[in-house]
Every structure is written in structure tokens, then in C-alpha cells.
Amino acid sequence: MWGVLNMNGSSERHGYPLSNSEHCVSSSVLDTATFMINNEERNNYETFRDCLSGPVIQKSATKSKPKGRRSSKGRKNAVKPVTSAFPQEEQDADELAEFIDYLATEIFTSLPSDLRTLSYAALQKDPDLSTKYTDPIPPSNLDALLGNIPASVPDTLLSYALLTDLSYLPNFLTPILTDYITTTSSAPPPYSTTRTTACEICERDWIPLTYHHLIPKEVHAKALKRGWHEEWTLNSVAWLCKACHSFVHRIASNEELAREWWSVERLRGREDVVAWAKWVGRVRWKAK
């Protein structure tokens, strides 16, 4: 079981005692942490959490119990084990997920803003980021990143024997940071590899699909000249059935599609598209 212990060894939820059934990473702690991740960073946070989860789950599955270690003075936020044994087969998957969420939040929120919002688009706008966050990460940049990690993180990793020595922290975190940087900064895949199994508007999965240029080719030059989009985004597509493809072109001109309705999320946010998808989704051919 995972627990949050304060300096005197008692369990707390933001200063309040936990009941015996609540000796785990409390949901209120994680709820508070959630507010620390703004909408702009949400997708990147989830990517970082996923990169972190692999090593944590792998290491947790290969050990039987944690290494006991008392919290250092002044380190109030470290997650500490509250049971003497840690057999993997007895752990609740939800508690492990909350533990990973806790670690991911502690680390991610300590990263620089430009790393928390890193993307292929950001690299195109600021080429210096490609040098700053490259593979391998330059030693000076890596030292700066690790230097900002809260003390509660290595304390927690040591407590659960995810680290055997503090000096191994760079070995543990560097592959995770590199994986995160590679994932968030990769160029979008060619449209031919993004094909879905269902129409992205009506969600019918038994009907042939066509690709819809989210930024119509006829206005590519205008989109670049006016600064509506960057060149690398021009070939973004959505996979639609013919009925939905035709409907999209009926509700907006090519220029309007390029300026306002250039993503599946934006299209599906329109009331007329929602109503259309609900109706056409019920249209099915009878078997012969």
C-alpha cells in the first residue's frame, strides 16, 4: 500500500488524519495536483506520465518489498510505505496508478515551461529548442533539470527501492526525460498512416472511408500567406465516410474550413455536426 506520511510519521490528508482505510496516496492530494496542470500542458503531462509508468511498473514487478528509509528532516511531501511488505501480487492497481500520478505530477511541474509545452510546432517556431532538448540531452541542461526535481521524489524512489542509491537518479530519470522529449517533439505521421477504423464524425466502422484535407488544398497558399497555418500542418487529414465528407463541405467554404474548422475536434464541437452525426449514425444498410 502507498501512503503519504508527514514528518512525525502519522498519515495525513492535507493536515488531517487518514482513516485506516485511507492509508494510501490520498485522492485529495492528487486532486490538488491536478489543478497544477493547466489545459495547455495536459496532453504533455499525460505523455510524461506514460513515459514514467513503464520503468516504475517494471521495477515494481521485480521486487518483493521496499527498502525502509526514514524521511530526511524538512522533506514533508515524500511518499512513504506504510506496510512492511510489498508483494506485487497483493498491490491494488488503482493505488499503483495513483502513486505514478503523484510522482509524475511532482516531476512534471518542476520542469521548465518550454519543456512542459514542448511540441513539434514549438520546435518549428524556436529552433533553439532543438539544441536545448536533443538526444542525448546536453549534460548542462540535464543537470539543470535534475537540480529542480523536488527532494520528495528521490526520497520516495529510495523508499520503495526504485532507486538503490541517490547517485542513480540521473540513470533512472534520463531515459524517461529522453522518451518524453522524443515523443512530444516528433513530426506528425504521414496522413496515410493515420487511417482510422471508423468515420471520425459519425463513428460508423463498417463503411468505406475517404480522407478529408482539414486545410483544403485549394487554399494552402493563402493559408501560408495569411499566417493561418504553418507549412508542416497543411496535409493534416480526417478520415470520414462519404456522407460526412460531403456534409462538412456543405456547412463551410474551403476558406472557412481552413480558418475555423481545421481539426476534427473543432468540427465535432459544432452543434450542426453533432446533430448530423447522431442522425447519420443510425443509417445502416440492410443485409442481403
Side-chain angles (χ1 to χ4, degrees):
M1 183 167 299
W2 311 94
V4 179
L5 297 192
N6 63 13
M7 289 182 63
N8 63 19
S10 62
S11 299
E12 291 186 349
R13 185 203 298 113
H14 287 274
Y16 297 94
L18 291 175
S19 66
N20 291 334
S21 63
E22 295 176 309
H23 282 268
C24 61
V25 177
S26 73
S27 61
S28 60
V29 171
L30 297 175
D31 289 344
T32 299
T34 299
F35 289 110
M36 300 170 66
I37 312 296
N38 61 43
N39 290 334
E40 183 184 6
E41 300 172 356
R42 172 58 55 180
N43 287 340
N44 276 21
Y45 168 74
E46 292 175 355
T47 297
F48 180 81
R49 181 178 58 192
D50 190 50
C51 295
L52 173 68
S53 67
V56 171
I57 291 172
Q58 180 181 1
K59 286 180 175 292
S60 297
T62 59
K63 62 187 178 61
S64 61
K65 58 184 178 180
K67 176 183 177 181
R69 185 175 185 272
R70 295 184 61 82
S71 175
S72 299
K73 185 176 181 181
R75 298 181 180 179
K76 300 180 180 180
N77 297 324
V79 176
K80 300 296 182 183
V82 295
T83 58
S84 58
F86 184 71
Q88 176 62 26
E89 62 272 18
E90 294 179 6
Q91 292 311 298
D92 183 272
D94 289 340
E95 290 182 3
L96 180 56
E98 289 182 346
F99 176 74
I100 292 170
D101 214 355
Y102 166 83
L103 280 177
T105 301
E106 289 283 285
I107 299 170
F108 185 82
T109 54
S110 75
L111 301 177
S113 175
D114 58 2
L115 184 52
R116 297 198 306 269
T117 57
L118 190 65
S119 66
Y120 182 76
L123 293 182
Q124 308 314 300
K125 294 178 181 178
D126 185 357
D128 289 342
L129 289 175
S130 298
T131 303
K132 187 177 182 180
Y133 300 123
T134 187
D135 182 12
I137 304 172
S140 58
N141 293 341
L142 181 60
D143 289 344
L145 294 176
L146 296 179
N148 285 330
I149 300 294
S152 58
V153 171
D155 240 20
T156 300
L157 295 174
L158 287 165
S159 295
Y160 284 109
L162 296 173
L163 287 182
T164 57
D165 188 271
L166 187 59
S167 63
Y168 295 150
L169 182 64
N171 294 341
F172 179 78
L173 288 181
T174 299
I176 295 168
L177 290 168
T178 301
D179 188 15
Y180 164 76
I181 290 170
T182 301
T183 303
T184 55
S185 61
S186 296
Y191 74 83
S192 59
T193 66
T194 66
R195 186 182 181 92
T196 59
T197 58
C199 173
E200 293 187 78
I201 287 182
C202 70
E203 299 183 348
R204 291 184 292 175
D205 60 2
W206 49 271
I207 199 165
L209 302 178
T210 61
Y211 60 86
H212 161 66
H213 284 94
L214 290 163
I215 305 168
K217 297 179 72 174
E218 291 79 2
V219 294
H220 277 189
K222 191 172 188 178
L224 289 175
K225 184 177 181 180
R226 299 287 178 85
W228 298 341
H229 300 283
E230 297 182 57
E231 186 172 4
W232 64 271
T233 67
L234 295 180
N235 289 319
S236 301
V237 302
W239 291 92
L240 310 177
C241 67
K242 286 185 176 294
C244 288
H245 198 163
S246 297
F247 177 77
V248 166
H249 282 285
R250 289 201 303 271
I251 62 174
S253 67
N254 284 343
E255 185 171 319
E256 289 171 332
L257 289 172
R259 292 185 63 180
E260 302 292 338
W261 312 108
W262 41 265
S263 73
V264 173
E265 292 75 20
R266 286 185 168 228
L267 285 170
R268 293 187 63 165
R270 289 178 55 132
E271 291 184 5
D272 52 355
V273 173
V274 172
W276 164 264
K278 184 177 180 180
W279 177 81
V280 79
R282 297 196 297 265
V283 177
R284 295 180 175 272
W285 320 134
K286 292 183 178 180
K288 292 185 178 181

